[in-house]
């Protein structure tokens, strides 16, 4: 049976940011040997007040939308000459149209801003809503021009504590790791795997580790000598966290190698500190930052988390949010 070829989907609105997203999506589709589907939601224009919303103006609205799509298709064809490009004019709001397109997509690509300051807020919210709800990977094209153009030769991926396998056999790579590995391999670049940890204080990877640390501290206090041995124990805890982070990275990426993927140069980076800061620092020297996002069945709200919110707003390179069920 033939494998269904899913396209890369990109949303366009005629803005400069959408053009950057279109270029990025065309190159992604070209690397993966997939077609590109360009989607324009006609209600974007009405939200922005770009075209009056009276019935007499509907033909002009449609002509404008068709021109946006035609210009985008021509640009994508110039960017990747052998690329198969399809266009879709959706008479719907942007989030609904792109989420629907994402149900049968390899990935969804959107820009971080729209046309004008008000549009920037609106389309920024649209991009955030798509990243929080889509069932396929979503790439928000943002950051510095040199990062967007792919001049760093590196893909960074965040490794969360919960991805650690519970048995001795190498676990299959998470969806986020698999996406990052494939991009690094197709780009001919390096993969940087980032895992942040802390000895004390709020923990980005969940309350479970914080509870464990509290119990550990309580146990030390019960046995006395806390003042005398605090420095020694703190150093021991730091060394234990460092070893644990290194083991986590080895196990996670070892599982990816066991899955039969071609070898990719990998840099392991365990970092003491917050996940937010570690990932934002990694984004400065990456062409793409990949993070996972839990998708809970039956939950229809925003499903991103604080760290993913932060990188989507502040990363210095494009960000891929990969759903993890």
């Amino acid at each position: 049976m033939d494998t269904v070829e899913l396209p890369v989907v990109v949303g366009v609105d005629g803005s400069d940011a959408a053009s950057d997203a279109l270029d990025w999506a065309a190159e992604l589709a070209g690397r993966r040997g997939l077609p590109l589907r360009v989607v324009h939601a006609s209600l974007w224009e009405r939200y922005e007040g770009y075209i009056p919303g009276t019935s007499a103006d509907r033909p002009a609205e449609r002509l404008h939308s068709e021109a946006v799509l035609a210009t985008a298709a021509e640009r994508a064809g110039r960017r990747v000459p052998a690329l198969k490009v399809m266009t879709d004019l959706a008479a719907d709001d942007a989030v609904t149209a792109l989420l629907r397109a994402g149900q049968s997509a390899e990935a969804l690509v959107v820009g971080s801003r729209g046309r004008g300051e008000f549009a920037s807020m609106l389309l920024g919210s649209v991009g955030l809503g798509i990243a929080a709800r889509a069932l396929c990977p979503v790439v928000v094209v943002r950051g510095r021009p040199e990062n967007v153009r792919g001049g760093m030769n590196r893909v960074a991926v965040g490794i969360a504590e919960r991805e650690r396998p519970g048995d001795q056999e190498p676990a299959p790579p998470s969806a986020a790791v698999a996406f990052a590995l494939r991009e690094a391999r197709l780009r001919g670049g390096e993969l940087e795997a980032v895992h942040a940890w802390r000895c004390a204080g709020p923990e980005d990877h969940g309350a479970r580790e914080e509870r464990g640390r509290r119990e550990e501290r309580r146990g030390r206090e019960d046995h006395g000598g806390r003042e005398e041995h605090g420095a020694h124990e703190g150093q021991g805890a730091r060394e234990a966290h460092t070893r644990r982070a290194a083991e986590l990275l080895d196990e996670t990426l070892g599982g990816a190698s066991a899955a039969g993927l071609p070898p990719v140069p990998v840099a392991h980076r365990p970092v003491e500190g917050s996940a937010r800061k570690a990932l934002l620092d990694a984004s400065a020297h990456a062409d793409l930052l990949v993070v996972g996002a839990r998708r809970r069945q039956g939950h229809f709200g925003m499903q991103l988390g604080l760290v993913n919110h932060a990188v989507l707003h502040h990363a210095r390179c494009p960000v891929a949010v990969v759903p993890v069920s």
Side-chain angles (χ1 to χ4, degrees), residues 153-165:
N153 205 35
R154 177 180 296 166
V155 173
V157 60
I159 306 295
E161 179 67 26
R162 60 177 170 264
E163 293 177 34
R164 184 171 188 168

Side-chain angles (χ1 to χ4, degrees), residues 40-62:
H40 174 68
S42 62
L43 296 188
W44 271 341
E45 307 302 335
R46 186 157 300 166
Y47 288 153
E48 294 175 20
Y50 186 73
I51 295 173
T54 66
S55 58
D57 292 306
R58 287 182 62 81
E61 178 180 313
R62 183 170 184 86

Side-chain angles (χ1 to χ4, degrees), residues 186-205:
L186 292 175
R187 291 167 176 266
E190 177 188 61
L191 178 69
E192 181 179 44
V194 181
H195 173 66
W197 57 271
R198 281 174 167 173
C199 282
E203 174 60 47
D204 293 287
H205 293 301

Side-chain angles (χ1 to χ4, degrees), residues 78-118:
R78 290 198 308 267
R79 189 81 177 185
V80 183
L83 187 64
K84 178 182 177 182
V85 181
M86 304 171 288
T87 59
D88 182 7
L89 175 55
D92 216 330
D93 67 273
V95 171
T96 300
L98 289 171
L99 288 178
R100 184 171 56 244
Q103 292 174 1
S104 56
E106 175 84 1
L108 263 172
V109 183
V110 295
S112 62
R113 294 180 178 274
R115 199 173 33 237
E117 291 185 2
F118 174 72

Side-chain angles (χ1 to χ4, degrees), residues 21-33:
L22 176 68
D23 293 344
W24 206 98
E27 292 174 358
L28 174 65
R31 282 193 300 273
R32 298 194 175 205

Side-chain angles (χ1 to χ4, degrees), residues 157-161 164 191-198 203 205 238-250 253 266-275 277-279 281-282 285:
V157 60
I159 306 295
E161 179 67 26
R164 184 171 188 168
L191 178 69
E192 181 179 44
V194 181
H195 173 66
W197 57 271
R198 281 174 167 173
E203 174 60 47
H205 293 301
R238 180 168 286 103
E239 291 174 356
H241 275 285
T242 302
R243 286 195 302 271
R244 184 179 183 185
E247 290 170 3
L248 169 64
L249 293 174
D250 285 339
L253 296 167
V266 177
H268 294 188
R269 193 157 76 89
V271 179
E272 181 181 7
S274 72
K277 184 177 186 304
L279 293 174
D281 287 347
H285 51 258

